[in-house]
Amino acid sequence: MTRKRFIKLLMAYGVPRNEAVVYANACHGKMPHTIMAVFVLGGTQLREAVRPMLMPIMQGLSFTVSLEGGTTA
């Protein structure tokens, strides 16, 4: 899935554009768009962690989220 398509998919589910861009930028070889979509649309913990830091992340702040079980996103 392309970055642009992923952003549009998230926006179709009610995710604001700036927030969708952050999630699309976080995707890479180890975190494909399909897995990120499950985290974003399936649960609210990731979105609750990202929202307060949205502007600093968009300005280039590095941000790591640790999920239960020791997996990082």
Side-chain angles (χ1 to χ4, degrees):
M1 177 180 317
T2 65
R3 179 180 175 278
K4 184 176 179 179
R5 178 159 169 69
F6 183 62
I7 292 169
K8 287 184 177 186
L9 173 78
L10 292 178
M11 288 173 55
Y13 281 96
V15 177
R17 186 182 194 294
N18 288 340
E19 192 175 339
V21 168
V22 168
Y23 298 128
N25 290 342
C27 295
H28 50 75
K30 293 182 182 179
M31 177 61 77
H33 290 109
T34 53
I35 304 257
M36 181 64 82
V38 170
F39 287 135
V40 173
L41 300 176
T44 58
Q45 290 101 359
L46 180 64
R47 291 189 68 194
E48 289 173 3
V50 170
R51 272 192 202 124
M53 298 295 293
L54 192 59
M55 291 311 292
I57 291 170
M58 292 180 67
Q59 293 174 354
L61 176 72
S62 179
F63 186 73
T64 304
V65 176
S66 294
L67 305 173
E68 291 181 26
T71 308
T72 59

